[in-house]
Amino acid sequence: MWWTAQPAQAQARAAESAACPAIRQPEKLALQYELTFDQRRIDFVKVHQLTSIDIPAEQWPLANALTLSSDSPNYQNAMRCLLHEKAETKKFDKWYPEWHDVSEATEQQGVVAVRYESWNLVNNSAGQFEVGPWTIDSEPGKDWKVALHSPDVLRGISRRTVEIDPGGLEINEAAGASSANETRRVWNPPDPDTEISIARPKQLTPSSDRESLIAYLGITSWWIFGSALIALSAWRRKRNGDDDKAASSHPDKAATRTLADTALQWAGLSAALALTLVLLLQIYSLTSRWSALIGISSGLALVLLAQPWLPLVENSDDSEKEPTTRHTVLASAFATAAIGLLVIVSPQLFGLSSKLMPTASFPPLATAGLALLEASMLWLWFTAMTAWAWRFAREGKLGGSGGSPAENGRNEPGRHLRRVTVTAVALFVIAALVVLCHALSCNSRWQRANWLGEAHALFGNDYMDILGRQLATFPSFGPRWAYTHTSVLTVIALVALLHLSPWAGSGVKSLGPTSVDLLLVAAVFAVVTLSMSKFAGSAASLYGLWLPLNMLALYVLVKAGRRWSMLGRVDRKAKRCLAANAAKGESCVAAELSTEKMHERLMGDARRCRELLHRLHLVDRGHVESAQRRTLENELSELHHWRPAGCDRDCLPDPVSVVDVALCWGPYPRWWRNALDAARWAAVFGILPSAVTVWYENANDLEHWALTLDQPMSIPDMLWRFLTQEISFAGAGLVLGALWRVLPGEHGPVRALSLFVAWLVPIGVVVAINHGIDRRAVVVALLNIILMLMVLTLTSMWMDTDTFSRERPYWTKRLRLLASIYQVHGLSGQIAFLVMQAAAAVTIWRQIATG
């Protein structure tokens, strides 16, 4: 990029030295300016301009140069004279260059017709946006100042027209307009310049400093509450394990206490980091040097506390690899931190000032030093996140059976070291790519500003100096940017604590999670809800309330489900039959079906019931003799009298069949296995919605993609957004599977709908409390929730097929098995329900797209 920028700088100096000759007879020129605003987007307003000039070739010496190639210095000098003859010095970080759409010139009968189109995207940033000869000044809390800057060569032209279409925006001031209506303002000579004042759109109105601080504190409170929730869950899990006097000799209890201690440690670190970053980097606005020091030191501390050198399996007898792995990790972490600290402590070695800004001595070396500082900080934070995620997965036994240390050769000498080394190298490559994305965004803005070869004069700096100054801004926002990505660790920690429940629990058989387990499921539900529905502005101050609101909504849903769900009704009827024999807190249905023998009996009865119903259907159609109907009905009546062992009467309410009981029970005997199955299917079905959501938010058209590339961390954020969407879908599936037996509804799609209703609660509360929230932001949140409902509906239907998975060899396609299972309720009804969801999503999408 440095070498390619040198010819552009040479062209810029040549263009600056060239004068702009005057037009001899300006009354023979025809000049027209058009400016159009389009506010159909939530996060920006598109501004498009068209400049049309008809110049007699004999009246201006540079007219013929306009027909040359756009790379020609003569062409660039001529266009500069027509658009902005003298460029005032700008600040690179406050200047937003335009995107060029069409630039062409044709000559007919001695008249050169110039047509130049360009556009820009005005968002909530403060600064000056360029659109051809126009500039839009955006300041917090003030109206937009739109100004037309006519160069000297175009002043005094009599055939001149200026038109502005506000696109529905309110024009507060438009002095000198010769005509006006609701959609357009027109200016005619003789005024060469035009200035208007446009009210800032509501969705882009920045809050005051106090409101923005409250909003930031509201977001920080979410992190604090999330840390408190992890600490509460871990403390209760640890306390339950300590109640057992024999816990010290029980490996599952010991594993629970170990994971609880790790979760408590992370909760304290996460809360401390949140407070540190908001107090020191947001409120007090420390210098880049101190910000970089905090970023490097906190990343190093997180890596060391995560202890990624620990063996893959606990209680490993392999003593050879752990010291070697520890030394390798420590050497890598300290070496990386030393590189960053060297730039911070001795910036003069890299040609940097005490504020980590490039000096005029040697900008390439300064840029390299700042790139090293950014890469080292990113590597430490990425390594810390990976290490803590692995630590939770290791101690929570996620992804493994937790068996023998030598199982499958996972802990053979040297393998753990190779795994750690490969991971470290991969994270270094990722950190380098993030730095490259930061540099490319700066290069993109420079190239747009330098299309006429005047960037050097515009900013008063060369390319390498500007690039270094942009890289120097990373320490001010980098630690906060990296910390926001640790939200995934909250989900992993909660799932790890939940995963140990089937082994470390009290052994009481229940239909679903209770006590600490239900707390963990509700916490996962709350975290997933926040990641799916994001609000900005003043609504962000309510983020701290989302965790308790979502958890309360789920608790109410589970309470209603335990009373009105199908298995809940069956269980109450069974308890009345076995009042004296049922254990305290134990579900009769769960106790009955947890044994393999009784579960096989239920599935056999369910298959027999479906066969009988199918034969009855054939009788009704006339395909089988009607004399068999009474026999079939008697067999169905016998199957309906399902009862647990020791019960002298049936426990099924009249509308409930054994097929319903089997579907409500799920494919696995433990609710945790049902949760894993649902999470797996939800992640698979969520791939397409995740990709579509990321595409719509960042690249659904040319303008949006251009704005995405203009942001320093846009590409990494896109990839991270896709990953968090997948985690959200998997987390939602986990909640659905864990509560499968206690959610209201007789079949899977209705259970998914009940979760959808619970998800609407926080959105309704936010809208009710904050009346000023943008309507389109609410619609986008609703769209995300409907996509979640579609994923959960498909997941629930697939879980129903997994319930009868042993019949899969008899069906060529899963859809046919699904039709066989839903013959009672009707597969067509489930498909119609799914189509309605898709239609609602498309309708909302079109509403967003059309504004």
Side-chain angles (χ1 to χ4, degrees):
M1 290 184 292
W2 175 44
W3 290 109
T4 56
Q6 304 310 310
Q9 294 176 14
Q11 295 175 10
R13 286 188 288 271
E16 292 166 11
S17 61
C20 294
I23 297 176
R24 286 187 288 270
Q25 293 180 323
E27 66 276 2
K28 294 186 177 182
L29 271 69
L31 177 61
Q32 182 175 3
Y33 294 114
E34 295 182 10
L35 189 67
T36 305
F37 291 82
D38 184 357
Q39 59 164 343
R40 289 181 296 176
R41 296 291 182 178
I42 297 177
D43 44 1
F44 62 83
V45 173
K46 180 182 179 181
V47 184
H48 178 269
Q49 73 85 29
L50 170 62
T51 301
S52 301
I53 310 175
D54 294 337
I55 308 176
E58 68 276 4
Q59 303 300 326
W60 195 43
L62 301 182
N64 291 325
L66 296 172
T67 61
L68 301 176
S69 171
S70 59
D71 297 330
S72 169
N74 292 332
Y75 167 85
Q76 294 180 358
N77 182 57
M79 287 297 297
R80 180 178 58 84
C81 292
L82 296 179
L83 295 178
H84 30 78
E85 181 178 351
K86 296 179 180 179
E88 300 179 358
T89 303
K90 310 289 184 181
K91 290 185 178 181
F92 186 82
D93 56 343
K94 298 295 183 182
W95 176 252
Y96 300 92
E98 62 184 344
W99 282 271
H100 318 299
D101 197 358
V102 177
S103 178
E104 59 181 14
T106 58
E107 183 176 4
Q108 293 182 356
Q109 299 179 355
V111 177
V112 178
V114 181
R115 179 183 175 88
Y116 174 64
E117 292 185 62
S118 61
W119 49 273
N120 209 331
L121 306 175
V122 186
N123 53 21
N124 211 9
S125 303
Q128 193 172 75
F129 296 81
E130 173 197 24
V131 198
W134 301 83
T135 59
I136 302 174
D137 291 311
S138 175
E139 298 183 18
K142 297 182 179 180
D143 294 342
W144 287 345
K145 301 299 181 181
V146 182
L148 170 65
H149 305 280
S150 298
D152 292 340
V153 297
L154 296 181
R155 293 180 179 270
I157 297 177
S158 57
R159 298 166 58 191
R160 173 181 175 275
T161 303
V162 179
E163 298 184 10
I164 295 180
D165 181 2
L169 298 178
E170 181 180 354
I171 297 181
N172 293 335
E173 182 180 354
S178 56
S179 62
N181 54 42
E182 295 180 355
T183 61
R184 192 171 297 271
R185 300 292 190 277
V186 179
W187 285 260
N188 290 319
D191 189 8
D193 293 333
T194 302
E195 293 185 2
I196 66 173
S197 176
I198 295 183
R200 182 187 297 268
K202 183 179 179 181
Q203 72 272 17
L204 298 181
T205 302
S207 55
S208 63
D209 293 339
R210 179 179 179 276
E211 291 177 342
S212 60
L213 178 59
I214 293 176
Y216 198 86
L217 290 175
I219 298 176
T220 306
S221 66
W222 183 89
W223 293 97
I224 302 298
F225 288 169
S227 299
L229 187 58
I230 295 177
L232 175 62
S233 303
W235 177 75
R236 292 189 61 184
R237 181 73 79 203
K238 181 179 180 181
R239 187 186 64 176
N240 292 344
D242 290 339
D243 289 342
D244 190 355
K245 296 181 179 180
S248 59
S249 61
H250 199 293
D252 293 334
K253 298 288 185 179
T256 300
R257 289 200 307 272
T258 301
L259 177 59
D261 292 336
T262 302
L264 286 171
Q265 187 181 22
W266 169 251
L269 288 172
S270 180
L273 279 174
L275 291 175
T276 299
L277 295 179
V278 69
L279 292 177
L280 297 182
L281 300 186
Q282 180 69 19
I283 296 179
Y284 293 104
S285 300
L286 294 179
T287 62
S288 296
R289 196 170 183 179
W290 278 104
S291 300
L293 181 61
I294 291 176
I296 293 290
S297 58
S298 58
L300 178 62
L302 288 176
V303 172
L304 299 180
L305 291 174
Q307 304 179 53
W309 54 81
L310 293 177
L312 184 63
V313 178
E314 293 186 86
N315 303 321
S316 174
D317 296 330
D318 185 5
S319 59
E320 296 182 3
K321 70 172 180 296
E322 184 178 341
T324 304
T325 306
R326 183 195 302 114
H327 296 159
T328 303
V329 172
L330 290 177
S332 302
F334 281 112
T336 304
I339 294 175
L341 291 176
L342 181 63
V343 179
I344 298 173
V345 176
S346 302
Q348 64 278 2
L349 297 178
F350 298 89
L352 297 170
S353 65
S354 58
K355 296 182 178 180
L356 298 184
M357 285 294 179
T359 59
S361 57
F362 196 37
L365 181 60
T367 302
L370 291 170
L372 284 176
L373 173 61
E374 183 173 342
S376 62
M377 187 186 305
L378 288 172
W379 186 87
L380 288 173
W381 275 90
F382 291 164
T383 302
M385 292 173 57
T386 304
W388 278 101
W390 169 82
R391 181 81 175 273
F392 290 135
R394 167 186 178 269
E395 297 178 359
K397 301 180 181 179
L398 297 175
S401 61
S404 171
E407 184 180 355
N408 299 324
R410 291 179 299 170
N411 279 339
E412 65 181 14
R415 184 168 183 174
H416 185 53
L417 177 60
R418 291 194 299 270
R419 184 185 294 107
V420 171
T421 302
V422 171
T423 303
V425 173
L427 293 176
F428 174 77
V429 173
I430 294 175
L433 291 176
V434 173
V435 177
L436 179 62
C437 290
H438 191 179
L440 289 177
S441 68
C442 173
N443 180 71
S444 176
R445 183 178 295 188
W446 174 273
Q447 295 298 335
R448 297 203 315 272
N450 196 49
W451 80 284
L452 293 180
E454 56 183 353
H456 180 77
L458 187 65
F459 303 119
N461 304 93
D462 59 9
Y463 176 77
M464 291 304 298
D465 186 67
I466 289 295
L467 177 59
R469 291 180 180 275
Q470 289 303 294
L471 294 178
T473 61
F474 180 79
S476 61
F477 71 89
R480 282 176 291 167
W481 178 82
Y483 177 72
T484 57
H485 294 74
T486 61
S487 59
V488 67
L489 297 178
T490 302
V491 180
I492 297 176
L494 294 172
V495 173
L497 288 169
L498 188 62
H499 182 232
L500 291 184
S501 172
W503 288 268
S506 61
V508 176
K509 297 180 177 63
S510 62
L511 294 177
T514 59
S515 185
V516 183
D517 299 332
L518 183 57
L519 174 65
L520 291 168
V521 172
V524 173
F525 175 80
V527 174
V528 169
T529 301
L530 179 64
S531 62
M532 292 298 297
S533 304
K534 295 183 178 181
F535 294 108
S538 58
S541 60
L542 303 175
Y543 275 179
L545 300 176
W546 279 45
L547 274 175
L549 281 176
N550 282 279
M551 294 175 67
L552 179 61
L554 190 68
Y555 272 109
V556 172
L557 179 65
V558 172
K559 183 68 174 179
R562 291 190 187 277
R563 180 171 181 82
W564 300 109
S565 65
M566 185 176 298
L567 291 185
R569 289 181 288 158
V570 174
D571 195 55
R572 285 198 307 273
K573 193 171 182 180
K575 281 185 177 181
R576 287 195 296 267
C577 176
L578 301 172
N581 299 325
K584 183 178 180 180
E586 187 172 76
S587 167
C588 296
V589 176
E592 179 77 10
L593 299 181
S594 294
T595 63
E596 183 177 356
K597 179 180 178 181
M598 298 307 297
H599 183 259
E600 288 293 332
R601 174 190 168 188
L602 172 68
M603 297 305 299
D605 290 345
R607 285 191 292 271
R608 180 59 179 164
C609 180
R610 289 166 45 218
E611 293 172 2
L612 294 174
L613 288 173
H614 179 65
R615 293 175 63 182
L616 276 177
H617 180 70
L618 294 179
V619 170
D620 294 337
R621 292 289 187 96
H623 299 293
V624 180
E625 295 181 5
S626 59
Q628 298 183 9
R629 183 178 185 87
R630 179 58 61 88
T631 303
L632 297 176
E633 291 177 348
N634 291 335
E635 292 183 20
L636 278 174
S637 179
E638 292 178 3
L639 290 176
H640 184 75
H641 296 297
W642 179 85
R643 61 178 62 87
C647 187
D648 57 358
R649 63 177 183 270
D650 66 281
C651 299
L652 297 184
D654 291 337
V656 179
S657 68
V658 287
V659 176
D660 298 325
V661 174
L663 291 176
C664 291
W665 181 253
Y668 298 101
R670 292 181 179 270
W671 58 261
W672 170 251
R673 291 294 305 276
N674 286 335
L676 289 183
D677 188 53
R680 174 171 60 91
W681 283 117
V684 172
F685 292 127
I687 293 177
L688 180 59
S690 298
V692 171
T693 300
V694 173
W695 168 80
Y696 176 76
E697 292 179 350
N698 299 275
N700 65 325
D701 54 27
L702 176 63
E703 292 82 7
H704 219 147
W705 178 240
L707 182 62
T708 298
L709 295 179
D710 197 51
Q711 306 300 319
M713 297 296 174
S714 56
I715 301 300
D717 284 338
M718 280 182 59
L719 299 177
W720 183 256
R721 175 62 171 161
F722 177 81
L723 178 61
T724 54
Q725 282 283 101
E726 277 293 283
I727 293 175
S728 298
F729 286 126
L734 185 79
V735 174
L736 176 66
L739 303 177
W740 184 259
R741 299 166 184 168
V742 297
L743 286 176
E746 297 182 357
H747 44 89
V750 179
R751 297 187 186 94
L753 181 62
S754 63
L755 271 184
F756 168 75
V757 174
W759 252 298
L760 291 180
V761 171
I763 297 180
V765 172
V766 168
V767 174
I769 295 178
N770 194 311
H771 299 284
I773 190 172
D774 184 64
R775 178 184 60 86
R776 282 176 288 187
V778 178
V779 173
V780 170
L782 184 60
L783 174 62
N784 290 331
I785 299 302
I786 290 181
L787 291 177
M788 178 69 78
L789 175 61
M790 294 180 62
V791 171
L792 292 183
T793 301
L794 289 171
T795 301
S796 65
M797 296 170 69
W798 249 241
M799 280 191 66
D800 286 340
T801 61
D802 285 343
T803 301
F804 292 89
S805 58
R806 293 190 179 183
E807 299 183 31
R808 284 294 303 278
Y810 306 108
W811 302 91
T812 57
K813 295 182 179 180
R814 186 183 289 262
L815 188 60
R816 293 186 178 180
L817 175 59
L818 197 63
S820 173
I821 295 171
Y822 283 164
Q823 61 181 337
V824 179
H825 303 289
L827 179 61
S828 58
Q830 312 303 330
I831 295 178
F833 181 57
L834 190 61
V835 170
M836 288 175 58
Q837 299 171 25
V842 172
T843 301
I844 295 176
W845 194 320
R846 292 183 61 183
Q847 182 180 359
I848 296 173
T850 57

